[in-house]
Structures are given as structure tokens and as C-alpha cells.
Amino acid sequence: MTQATLETTINMEAMGQRARQASYMLATLTTAQKNTALLAIADALEANTDHILAQNQLDIDAAVANGVDPIWIRDRMDLKKRMAGIIEDVRKVAQLPDPVGRVYSEAELPSGIHAHKQRVPFGVLGVIYESRPNVTIDISTLALKTGNAVILRGGSDVLNSNLELVRVLQEALAANGIPSDAVQYIASTNRDYVRQMLRLDKHIDMIIPRGGSGLHTFCRENSTIPVITGGIGVCHLYVDETANLDASLPVIHNAKTQRPAVCNALDTVLVHKSVAAEFLPRVVDYLGKDGVVFKAEPQALALLNDDRVEAAGEREFDTEWTALILGLKVVGSLDEAIEHIREHSTQHSDGILTEDDAHATRFLNEVDSAAVFVNASTRFNDGGALGLGAEVAVSTQKMHARGPMALEELTTYKWIVKGDYTSRP
Amino acid sequence: MTQATLETTINMEAMGQRARQASYMLATLTTAQKNTALLAIADALEANTDHILAQNQLDIDAAVANGVDPIWIRDRMDLKKRMAGIIEDVRKVAQLPDPVGRVYSEAELPSGIHAHKQRVPFGVLGVIYESRPNVTIDISTLALKTGNAVILRGGSDVLNSNLELVRVLQEALAANGIPSDAVQYIASTNRDYVRQMLRLDKHIDMIIPRGGSGLHTFCRENSTIPVITGGIGVCHLYVDETANLDASLPVIHNAKTQRPAVCNALDTVLVHKSVAAEFLPRVVDYLGKDGVVFKAEPQALALLNDDRVEAAGEREFDTEWTALILGLKVVGSLDEAIEHIREHSTQHSDGILTEDDAHATRFLNEVDSAAVFVNASTRFNDGGALGLGAEVAVSTQKMHARGPMALEELTTYKWIVKGDYTSRP
């Protein structure tokens, strides 16, 4: 028995209507008004840290009682060491430029009308995420900054934490004259409400799932609202025959080991056959000392005689490892490397290590991933690392946004057309 | 019995794979290569006009035998008077600027990497449309210009026409060294293949339905591929109390009568109560002489005593008329006008007629439609009228594209990141 007050039935339609209504007001807020509210949220989180941590402890206690892996609890659930960072991030969002209102593609048309596009909020976002209560604050504040209402559905195991965070958020919004319906939370662990949310196309404009491939597939299959799918990265680096091998090792090491659990972490190294015999054992040594183990296809396996290397299973080159495991494969040519990537990549982050400009250009043009790299780590496919100042999700689809979604990607545009009682000729 | 050779079973998966394979090659074509192919297509259509019209006649004969409305046959099916225009349009597409390859958002990041975005083709488009065989050429040539492969599924009643057009297209492509799989057509009237196409998310990147709301709903409900929905316009003009009434009449006339069957045609006029008694009878006279009839809510009805005006039915303010019918309603204020539009608009095209800048600004900010207008006809929400040079569809959703979709909207971007064997700090 936890302390969260769960509504026995949630009227999702009504929740959607309230979000839509709030979105109209949010769209009229000035940047200054939004920033004031953001700073007030940061202050409120600070003032309410004890309450938040008390609710968070309930979630942690339940997880411990259920035998959840302590590393999982520490890395994803526990807010104790994260509150200061979360609050700091809210203040940073207040500093970011506001994309809403930007005017572009202006034109005077021969008919006499003046037309331009203007960035506007999306309206209402539906966000479904797993664990990690910090995402609750992250998404809510980025939505507020861009004038969007949100309906949130976080992981069941941190429900107490999330409800308390949302309570604090809503109070801070209301105290600043912003409807608390701007941030609503589905206070239930019943997945049926997620299914209902995915069909509220009259009230929700975009669905952002943040989680594993199961969640993405579920949204794709059940949503009548446009969905941003992504966050699944089977990522490649191809070591060309011209690559500087000494310089390539640290890049591969960085891409694989810096944060092995995230989506831009490296999954497979492809090596040109002419350098494979020299380079593959060096890769195994260089990364193996940090605990990486390897899955090699037969040609690569034949070049390696090492306990840390085993034969790759049939579908393992389609696996996002999210762990210290790296696939190794020898390819006969750049064409073969591109072909392997087309077949196995999730179109997230793929790169080439090369000294040959023509090879680099071909790779950049012919590999169709959200981010393509020359002589750089796949880890750079990230809103922060690409200079966007924030990140809501990493899209691997091609519609609307590709790669990191930041503030701009939480907005859309409208056409504004002005005439002098002008009819179309 | 028609002459079209229908495949008994179509392997949609294989069709998708062939399209994907073709898309890789299309993405590498230069603008000059694409334009050469476009001009060759125009020449081939010219050279094959007799064959095309012969197949078109089969469709027309079948329609006549089935008792199809002759106006429908003339306006939507018959190619005789349209071939010259269709061919001319293909040559115009060759003249349009190519968005593929455009570089933007360049940045040198503190980590030492150089990043930019670059416009690239989507890959494979799936387009489902009703009747109008000219759309076959229109979509295929715009897809070719933007380096995309397409899988087409047109209306059953013009299947012979479409298959012949596609044959001519494919021959012209092949003669220019471009895989004929760049344009494929689902040669069946069985809707089950559409259902299968909507789930080919591995091979198709975007679905564009062009047709009525039934088709859009079908795609939304059944597709696991991102869908551009739109093309349904319940469009409004609000006559503010400050509007120049003399100047407003021709704008309303243009919006309603210029092409009543299209999606940006006007459906409802809202009139401020202080000018309603004077203005509404003038609207009825001005448009009534051209055959427009009216549906009025009680307050408007009370101001009108005219055979051409009847009481509006319960859901008629939610009806896209696509005919010479116009809804009339009196509102008490700008707020009430905005509220009515929020409730009834399909977020396609809505405008205000006013002399008051503050009212105009509020309307533009608070009405959340793809295109919003001040003192201009809703008919301007169109790729040609807004200077885009082409139009694939008009989107009423907010993701990716809003309003007219032209060449730019048939492309996406990729991030290109270059380093010097750079690791993420």
C-alpha cells in the first residue's frame, strides 16, 4: 500500500479537453511570463525537496521489497543525489531561447497578399516514459517553455515520486497564473489509459514515447495521433582501409564505453579486410581491458584468439546491446559496409573512420541515418552535444524531426496571410 | 472486362523492398540528372498520348456503363483535355529549385566537431488517392524531383489510365538509367493491399492519403507508418464589427464560389452582432445570385427572410460542404468567434475581416489553423497561391508539415558531423 492517491476511474477524454483548453492560454504567454514560471518551479522544487524525497522513498522501499536490482534503483529511481541537478536544469531551460513566434519564409505574392510562417506551440503533447522521475520535470519544463500542455504517463514503479513532482509543478503554475492543467499526469498503472490516450487525436497533437522498442511498437500500432519514434540505436562505426588506426581506437572506446546503456552507444565495428588482421586484436585489447566482450562474425572470429570474443549469433547484429558488448565484422569494401549498415542499422547514429575524402562523402550521402559521422564518436548524436541546449527524445523516423528533438522540435508553424480584402485571382 | 493486366497476387513486401532499393540510387542523383529524366517523361507522355487516351477511354466507357455522373467523368476522369496541361506541369517541375542537399544550422561545437543539417529525400513515399489520374503524374514527378521512390494506389475507376501512365513513366525512367522501381503502382482494386502497405514501416517512410475523410481515418487507424493527414477543410471567415463590409462581400464570394469542391473553400461566415442585421442580407443577395444557398443558426435566421436560407441542422457547422452551401452565424464578440472556430474548424483555413489591428492580431495568435488570414480569401491556402510552385497535399496536422506540402516537405534532413577522430568529452 503506497500513499499515492489513485483515481479509481480516469476520464481521459475530459483530461484531453482540459489540456486543450490550457494549451490555448499557454500559446499566448510571453517568453518573460514562461521564464518567470520556470524559475518559480525551480524554487518550488527546492522548497519541497523533503516532500519529494519522502514520496520517492516509498517507491524505493517498494522496489527493494520486490527485489529490484540495487543498481537500477540507484541509477533510475533514486532522486536523493539528483534533486540539485534537476533544479539547476529547470533554471537552464529558462535561459534557453524561445522558438515560439519566430517569423520566416516571408513573401509578397503577385496576388498582393503577404505570407509568412510563424513558429507556434504544438498544442498538447502526450509523453509516455519509463521510470526516471527526473523526466517528469524535464519534459514538463521544456513543454512550458514552448507553450505546450502535456499529459504525462511515467513508470509505475515511481508513481509516488511523479505524483509529488507534478503536485509541486501544478502549484507553482497556478501561483503564476498558469492553469495547472498545463501539466497533467495519468495517476494509474493501468495500461488501458495509455491505450485511450493514444486515440485522443482531437485533443493531443503529438505522442512522444521514451522507452524500449516494445513501448515504441505499442504506440505505433495503437495510436491515431502522430508518434515520434526513436531512441533505439543499433549504431555502427566503419573502419576504412585508410583510417588512422591509432586515432580510431579511442573513438571506438568512447562510443562503446562512455555510457553503454544509452541509444547512441556503439554496437558494431565494421573493419575493412585489408586492416582487419592488424586492427581487430588491437580493438579487443584496447576495449577489453575495460570489460568489453565481443561478438564476432566468422571472418573476424578467425583473426581473433581471445577469451573475450565469441561467435556472433544469428540476429546479434540487429541487437542494441546497451551493455559492454561489441559486434565485430570484417567487410570487403565500403559498399559492403554501407550494405551491412542499411540492413542492420536503426538509422540512429552511424559513422566512418577514414582519411579518404571520397569515401567519407560516399558514406555521408549513402548511409541514411539521423546522424552520420566522419571521424567522430556516435555519442555526439545528442541534443546537448550538438549544441541544442536540451533534448526531449532522439527521433529515428524521418517525419518532423530527425535525431535530437529540442525546443524547436516541440513547436510547429502556422501560415499567416495578410491581404487588403484580397480575393484569389 | 478491361484491358488492364492485374497481377493475381501482389507481394507488397517485395514491392517495398524494391522501392527501398531504388530510393538509395535516387538519393544520389544530381539535380541535372533528375531534370533530364523529368523532361524525358514529358516527351514520353507526349509521344504516348494516344495509348494513354485509349486506356483512359476504357475507364470512361466503364463509368458510363455504370451510370456515373457525366460531370464527375468530365472533371475527374477524362484526360483528353488535360494531357497538354499535365505535360506542361512536368516541364515546370524540372524548373523548380531542388531542395535536396541544402545545408543549414551549421555549427562548430566546443568539442571540436563540425555539425550541420542537410536536406535529404524521405526515401519511399506511399500515396493513396482517389480518381484523377493526373495525380499519378503529379506525385511521381514531384517525388522524382526530390529523390524519393513512390508506391502509388489510385482510384479503382481509373486503373487502366493509371497503369498506362505508370508504364510510360517507368519506360522513361529506365531509358534514363533510373530504376523503374522508383515509381510502382498497386495494380489491384483490392483494398487489402492498401492495408498491407500501411504496415510496411520497414520500407515506406511516409504515407500521404489524398481523398475524403474516410480515407484519412482509415490510414490513421491502420498505419504503422507516419501519415500526413489533411485535405479536409471546414473553413471560416469572421466579419468583425469594424470590417469594411463593401470590401468583405467579394472576399466571401471568392472563398465560397471560386472552387466550391476544394478543401480551402469557405464553409461558414461568422458575423459580429452589431453588423449582422445589415450585412447578412447583403451576403445572401451577393452570393445567392450565383446559386449559393444558406444554412443559418437561429439568430442569423431571424435576420433573414429569404427562400435561399434555411435553418442549420445540428452538426451542419461541422460539415465540409464542398458545394454552393454556406453556413451563417451571428456571434457576440471576437471571443465567441474564436471559440466557434476552435470547436468546429478542421484547422485548415480560417480568417478575419477587420479594420482593427488588435482584433487581427488576437485572431492570428489564438486561432490554431494551418493558415490564418486577415482580409484575404481562404482560397489562398494552396501551394501555388503561397508561392511554393507545387502542392502534394494540404496538411491539417501539426507534425512535419502544416498547410500546403510542396517539394521541401517531401524531404527530411540528416545531421552530418565531422571530427578529427573526436571523442565526446
Side-chain angles (χ1 to χ4, degrees):
Chain A
M1 180 66 191
T2 65
Q3 269 187 262
T5 317
L6 294 186
E7 297 181 37
T8 44
T9 21
I10 300 173
N11 184 338
M12 289 302 300
E13 174 75 23
M15 201 181 223
Q17 278 173 6
R18 290 197 303 267
R20 177 63 77 206
Q21 213 54 47
S23 77
Y24 295 139
M25 194 275 187
L26 290 167
T28 66
L29 293 175
T30 64
T31 302
Q33 287 172 311
K34 293 186 283 193
N35 290 344
T36 302
L38 285 165
L39 297 176
I41 287 169
D43 293 345
L45 289 170
E46 222 155 44
N48 285 276
T49 294
D50 289 351
H51 297 294
I52 293 163
L53 292 182
Q55 293 298 312
N56 185 233
Q57 194 59 46
L58 292 177
D59 292 328
I60 293 170
D61 291 347
V64 170
N66 290 325
V68 173
D69 181 355
I71 295 176
W72 178 272
I73 294 175
R74 187 196 62 198
D75 287 357
R76 299 180 63 100
M77 297 178 66
D78 194 342
L79 287 174
K80 274 190 285 299
K81 292 192 178 152
R82 305 189 90 152
M83 281 304 295
I86 290 170
I87 292 163
E88 190 46 38
D89 281 348
V90 175
R91 297 201 169 107
K92 274 188 201 150
V93 173
Q95 305 299 322
L96 292 174
D98 181 356
V100 172
R102 185 165 69 83
V103 166
Y104 58 111
S105 301
E106 286 193 87
E108 297 284 345
L109 279 304
S111 57
I113 57 168
H114 178 278
H116 68 260
K117 290 180 179 174
Q118 188 165 324
R119 299 307 300 181
V120 296
F122 248 94
V124 180
L125 313 176
V127 186
I128 306 159
Y129 51 105
E130 292 167 353
S131 298
R132 296 216 291 180
N134 56 305
V135 174
T136 306
I137 298 298
D138 203 19
I139 295 278
S140 301
T141 52
L142 293 170
L144 174 59
K145 179 79 185 202
T146 48
N148 291 293
V150 276
I151 298 178
L152 303 169
R153 206 284 198 177
S156 309
D157 56 351
V158 284
L159 183 60
N160 294 290
S161 313
N162 281 336
L163 289 178
E164 183 62 13
L165 289 168
V166 168
R167 187 191 65 75
V168 173
L169 264 167
Q170 289 180 331
E171 276 186 18
L173 289 171
N176 281 271
I178 296 173
S180 58
D181 288 336
V183 178
Q184 295 181 81
Y185 192 90
I186 302 177
S188 169
T189 59
N190 185 343
R191 206 173 193 183
D192 195 48
Y193 293 123
V194 177
R195 212 182 289 271
Q196 286 181 43
M197 170 157 89
L198 294 176
R199 301 186 74 81
L200 287 178
D201 45 64
K202 193 169 158 58
H203 304 305
I204 302 180
D205 300 294
M206 174 159 68
I207 295 288
I208 306 174
R210 288 183 50 157
S213 63
L215 175 63
H216 285 266
T217 304
F218 182 80
C219 290
R220 232 179 231 268
E221 306 252 325
N222 291 285
S223 182
T224 57
I225 305 166
V227 179
I228 290 282
T229 56
I232 315 293
V234 176
C235 305
H236 301 77
L237 283 175
Y238 165 55
V239 181
D240 190 42
E241 72 262 45
T242 67
N244 177 332
L245 300 182
D246 292 340
S248 295
L249 285 171
V251 177
I252 293 169
H253 183 271
N254 176 263
K256 178 70 256 180
T257 68
Q258 192 183 40
R259 278 190 73 191
V262 299
C263 55
N264 57 22
L266 182 64
D267 294 285
T268 302
V269 169
L270 305 169
V271 182
H272 190 275
K273 63 181 179 195
S274 67
V275 295
E278 177 195 348
F279 190 61
L280 280 173
R282 292 183 65 189
V283 170
V284 171
D285 280 343
Y286 198 94
L287 278 74
K289 66 176 158 41
D290 285 328
V292 177
V293 296
F294 303 87
K295 305 276 191 173
E297 55 65 77
Q299 226 181 318
L301 193 64
L303 298 170
L304 296 161
N305 185 6
D306 196 299
D307 285 351
R308 294 166 294 192
V309 186
E310 61 180 44
E314 191 158 353
R315 303 310 299 165
E316 289 193 325
F317 284 110
D318 294 314
T319 302
E320 184 188 29
W321 292 115
T322 64
L324 289 175
I325 304 171
L326 183 62
L328 300 174
K329 183 176 175 174
V330 176
V331 293
S333 62
L334 173 60
D335 284 293
E336 204 186 307
I338 292 172
E339 209 172 295
H340 177 96
I341 292 170
R342 283 176 177 168
E343 181 62 29
H344 299 280
S345 167
T346 53
Q347 302 186 283
H348 190 293
S349 306
D350 297 295
I352 184 172
L353 299 165
T354 185
E355 294 289 301
D356 184 316
D357 283 347
H359 288 191
T361 300
R362 273 202 58 206
F363 188 94
L364 294 176
N365 286 339
E366 297 181 29
V367 171
D368 187 20
S369 299
V372 284
F373 298 87
V374 176
N375 298 338
S377 170
T378 55
R379 289 275 300 127
F380 283 109
N381 188 359
D382 169 275
L386 291 173
L388 306 183
E391 180 180 296
V392 181
V394 177
S395 162
T396 55
Q397 70 180 32
K398 298 182 188 172
M399 206 156 109
H400 185 66
R402 224 176 168 196
M405 287 183 69
L407 291 173
E408 169 100 8
E409 289 74 25
L410 290 183
T411 66
T412 178
Y413 59 89
K414 62 167 76 156
W415 284 89
I416 291 184
V417 180
K418 296 179 182 176
D420 181 22
Y421 298 93
T422 313
S423 290
R424 182 163 164 193
Chain B
M1 179 65 191
T2 66
Q3 269 187 261
T5 317
L6 295 187
E7 296 181 39
T8 44
T9 21
I10 299 172
N11 183 338
M12 290 302 301
E13 172 75 23
M15 200 181 226
Q17 279 173 6
R18 290 197 303 269
R20 176 64 77 205
Q21 213 53 46
S23 77
Y24 294 139
M25 193 274 185
L26 290 167
T28 67
L29 293 175
T30 63
T31 302
Q33 286 172 313
K34 293 186 283 193
N35 290 343
T36 302
L38 285 166
L39 296 176
I41 288 169
D43 293 344
L45 290 170
E46 221 154 47
N48 286 275
T49 294
D50 289 351
H51 297 295
I52 293 164
L53 292 181
Q55 293 299 312
N56 185 233
Q57 193 59 46
L58 293 177
D59 291 329
I60 293 170
D61 291 347
V64 170
N66 290 328
V68 173
D69 180 355
I71 295 175
W72 178 273
I73 294 174
R74 187 198 63 199
D75 287 356
R76 299 181 63 100
M77 296 179 65
D78 194 341
L79 288 173
K80 276 189 285 299
K81 293 192 177 152
R82 305 190 89 151
M83 280 305 294
I86 290 170
I87 292 161
E88 190 47 37
D89 281 347
V90 175
R91 296 200 170 108
K92 274 188 202 150
V93 174
Q95 305 298 321
L96 292 174
D98 182 354
V100 172
R102 185 166 68 82
V103 166
Y104 59 112
S105 301
E106 287 193 86
E108 298 283 347
L109 279 304
S111 57
I113 57 168
H114 178 279
H116 67 259
K117 290 179 178 173
Q118 187 165 325
R119 298 308 299 181
V120 296
F122 248 93
V124 180
L125 313 176
V127 186
I128 306 160
Y129 51 105
E130 292 167 352
S131 299
R132 298 216 290 183
N134 56 305
V135 174
T136 305
I137 298 299
D138 205 17
I139 296 278
S140 301
T141 52
L142 293 171
L144 174 60
K145 181 79 186 204
T146 47
N148 290 293
V150 276
I151 297 179
L152 302 169
R153 206 284 197 176
S156 308
D157 56 352
V158 285
L159 183 61
N160 294 289
S161 312
N162 281 336
L163 290 177
E164 183 64 13
L165 289 168
V166 169
R167 187 190 66 74
V168 172
L169 264 168
Q170 289 180 331
E171 276 185 20
L173 289 171
N176 281 271
I178 296 173
S180 59
D181 289 336
V183 178
Q184 295 181 80
Y185 192 89
I186 302 178
S188 169
T189 59
N190 185 342
R191 207 173 192 185
D192 195 50
Y193 293 122
V194 177
R195 211 182 289 270
Q196 286 182 45
M197 171 158 85
L198 294 176
R199 301 186 74 82
L200 287 178
D201 45 66
K202 193 171 156 61
H203 304 305
I204 301 180
D205 299 292
M206 174 159 69
I207 294 288
I208 305 174
R210 287 184 50 157
S213 62
L215 175 63
H216 284 266
T217 304
F218 182 80
C219 290
R220 231 180 231 268
E221 305 251 326
N222 290 284
S223 182
T224 57
I225 305 165
V227 178
I228 289 283
T229 56
I232 314 293
V234 176
C235 304
H236 300 78
L237 283 175
Y238 165 56
V239 182
D240 190 41
E241 71 262 44
T242 66
N244 176 334
L245 300 181
D246 292 342
S248 295
L249 285 170
V251 177
I252 292 169
H253 183 271
N254 176 263
K256 179 70 255 181
T257 69
Q258 192 183 37
R259 279 189 73 191
V262 299
C263 55
N264 56 23
L266 182 64
D267 294 284
T268 302
V269 170
L270 305 170
V271 182
H272 190 274
K273 63 180 178 193
S274 67
V275 294
E278 178 195 346
F279 191 60
L280 280 171
R282 292 183 66 189
V283 171
V284 172
D285 280 343
Y286 198 94
L287 278 73
K289 67 178 158 35
D290 286 327
V292 177
V293 296
F294 303 86
K295 305 275 191 174
E297 56 64 77
Q299 225 182 318
L301 194 64
L303 297 171
L304 296 161
N305 184 8
D306 195 299
D307 286 352
R308 294 165 296 192
V309 186
E310 60 181 47
E314 190 159 352
R315 300 311 299 165
E316 290 194 324
F317 284 109
D318 294 313
T319 303
E320 184 187 29
W321 292 114
T322 64
L324 289 175
I325 304 172
L326 182 62
L328 300 174
K329 182 175 177 177
V330 177
V331 293
S333 63
L334 173 59
D335 285 291
E336 205 186 306
I338 292 171
E339 209 172 294
H340 177 97
I341 292 170
R342 284 177 177 166
E343 181 61 30
H344 300 281
S345 166
T346 54
Q347 302 187 283
H348 191 292
S349 306
D350 298 294
I352 184 172
L353 300 164
T354 186
E355 293 289 301
D356 184 314
D357 283 348
H359 289 190
T361 301
R362 274 202 57 206
F363 188 94
L364 294 176
N365 286 341
E366 298 181 28
V367 171
D368 187 21
S369 299
V372 284
F373 298 87
V374 176
N375 299 337
S377 169
T378 54
R379 290 274 299 126
F380 284 108
N381 188 359
D382 170 275
L386 291 174
L388 306 184
E391 180 180 294
V392 181
V394 176
S395 163
T396 56
Q397 70 180 31
K398 298 182 189 171
M399 206 157 110
H400 185 65
R402 223 175 167 195
M405 288 184 66
L407 291 173
E408 170 100 7
E409 289 74 26
L410 290 182
T411 65
T412 179
Y413 60 89
K414 61 166 78 155
W415 284 91
I416 291 184
V417 179
K418 296 178 183 176
D420 181 23
Y421 299 92
T422 314
S423 291
R424 182 163 165 194

